[in-house]
Amino acid sequence: MGKIALIFPGQGSQKVGMGQDICENSETAKQIFEEADAALGYALSELCFHGPEEELRLTANTQPAILTTSIALYIALREKLPLTPDFVAGHSLGEYSALVAAGAMSFRDAVTTVRKRGIYMEEAVPAGVGAMSAIMNLERDKLDEVCRSVSKAGHVVEPANYNSPGQIVISGHAAAVAEAGEQAAEAGARRVIPLSVSGPFHSSLMQPAAERLKAALSHVTVRDASVPVVANVTAEAVSGSAEIVELLVKQVASPVLWEDSVRYMLNQGVTTFVEVGAGSVLTGLVRKVDRKVKAISIQDTQTLEQAIEQLQTLS
């Protein structure tokens, strides 16, 4: 039997109504949302279930909302199927969900930390100064070269997310991102899609946020992970607490090596990826890396039941 990886989504997967169904059908999932509300001091559950969407989309709300939904679904899964994955991984913010699943961080610490992380990221760069764009179907080395050629002091653009073959996100100063997008199109990119985000995430412009996060993490208990966590920064497994903290700090201003992370897990013998959380973005990205691999998405009670059926046939 092949190995199983649990993967957790990041920002962009949020939608009004997320988590409500699982809370209505699982007491333990409901308790996770109640714990988030208590830890944060405001009704995150209400925001997830009923919106308004523009409030939910704010980075400082989105990050704890996605984490809480993921962990509520994860707890509901564990309750019905005591599954120990071979690896866990998460896309950007999703790395915190992975760390909770791996026992490296308590849920309460994770949800308060990502709330702070969201605030730090929003405040790192003034609104309108930064931007991000998705570049479709341009080879990685060509796009890396475009970014290098466009970047100069005060006009920075860098690869931010290596998501899958044919999808790389760039990030930096708005004018530099626009210029790199034009050059990428000239170099053969099929499409350039400006993203609706509040800042130039995973670029060096986020360094002020990384420094503030480092200070915040110094007050958080991080333990060694019980399951290998594939880190965004290195696309390799990590389990030691000191290295986990170091990589979480670096991650804020470094590119997310998601395609590389998926390939690493495939090379380690993973044959089933289970995405736990709102949406199915990562399921789609995994399939773009390897169409033959089994990729399952758990978003609510119905998809949870379907996933358990599929996972039971593997054991």
Side-chain angles (χ1 to χ4, degrees):
M1 182 181 132
K3 295 177 180 177
I4 294 173
L6 296 185
I7 55 177
F8 298 90
Q11 204 158 336
S13 297
Q14 70 275 3
K15 61 181 177 189
V16 173
M18 66 184 191
Q20 184 171 4
D21 171 82
I22 198 67
C23 285
E24 289 169 356
N25 290 282
S26 165
E27 189 59 35
T28 49
K30 185 181 170 192
Q31 285 167 7
I32 290 291
F33 273 90
E34 289 170 352
E35 188 176 349
D37 290 353
L40 296 172
Y42 72 99
L44 181 75
S45 55
E46 186 68 20
L47 192 55
C48 289
F49 302 163
H50 305 297
E53 189 179 347
E54 56 272 20
E55 284 281 313
L56 184 60
R57 272 211 312 265
L58 294 173
T59 297
N61 290 329
T62 303
Q63 297 204 12
I66 289 173
L67 173 100
T68 301
T69 302
S70 285
I71 297 305
L73 287 160
Y74 169 72
I75 293 291
L77 169 65
R78 284 298 305 269
E79 196 175 32
K80 298 199 171 194
L81 186 71
L83 171 75
T84 301
D86 298 282
F87 294 94
V88 293
H91 190 288
S92 185
L93 153 76
E95 194 155 288
Y96 288 81
S97 304
L99 290 168
V100 174
M105 197 181 279
S106 73
F107 170 68
R108 180 174 280 263
D109 279 344
V111 80
T112 53
T113 300
V114 300
R115 165 78 174 168
K116 290 173 186 172
R117 180 181 183 266
I119 292 167
Y120 301 159
M121 289 168 75
E122 279 186 339
E123 293 179 350
V125 178
V129 170
M132 300 178 77
S133 286
I135 311 297
M136 312 302 283
N137 290 67
L138 185 65
E139 294 89 340
R140 182 186 288 207
D141 56 350
K142 283 187 181 176
L143 186 55
D144 289 350
E145 180 51 43
V146 164
C147 289
R148 278 193 297 271
S149 70
V150 169
S151 280
K152 54 182 184 282
H155 189 77
V156 170
V157 58
E158 298 158 351
N161 301 337
Y162 294 100
N163 281 336
S164 68
Q167 190 193 115
I168 301 171
V169 175
I170 59 173
S171 180
H173 290 106
V177 170
E179 185 183 342
E182 289 167 13
Q183 290 201 15
E186 288 167 12
R190 185 163 56 84
R191 286 177 72 199
V192 176
I193 307 167
L195 301 182
S196 175
V197 292
S198 58
F201 303 145
H202 296 291
S203 75
S204 56
L205 276 66
M206 284 288 122
Q207 197 54 42
E211 295 303 325
R212 293 175 74 186
L213 181 65
K214 184 178 183 179
L217 283 168
S218 69
H219 302 293
V220 173
T221 301
V222 178
R223 295 172 289 276
D224 291 351
S226 60
V227 175
V229 181
V230 182
N232 287 184
V233 173
T234 60
E236 292 181 353
V238 56
S239 56
S241 58
E243 193 179 0
I244 286 169
V245 172
E246 183 186 332
L247 292 172
L248 285 178
V249 173
K250 280 185 180 173
Q251 189 225 58
V252 176
S254 301
V256 173
L257 304 180
W258 186 253
E259 180 188 342
D260 309 66
S261 297
V262 173
R263 291 193 189 282
Y264 172 84
M265 288 182 272
L266 290 168
N267 290 336
Q268 298 298 313
V270 171
T271 55
T272 303
F273 290 83
V274 183
E275 180 177 5
V276 185
S280 56
V281 170
L282 299 185
T283 305
L285 294 179
V286 166
R287 286 182 178 138
K288 283 182 179 172
V289 177
D290 185 344
R291 294 221 169 273
K292 298 188 296 295
V293 77
K294 193 173 192 67
I296 301 167
S297 167
I298 298 176
Q299 306 176 49
D300 52 25
T301 307
Q302 184 182 356
T303 50
L304 173 65
E305 298 295 348
Q306 290 167 351
I308 289 168
E309 276 183 37
Q310 292 181 71
L311 291 167
Q312 283 173 332
T313 63
L314 300 175
S315 57

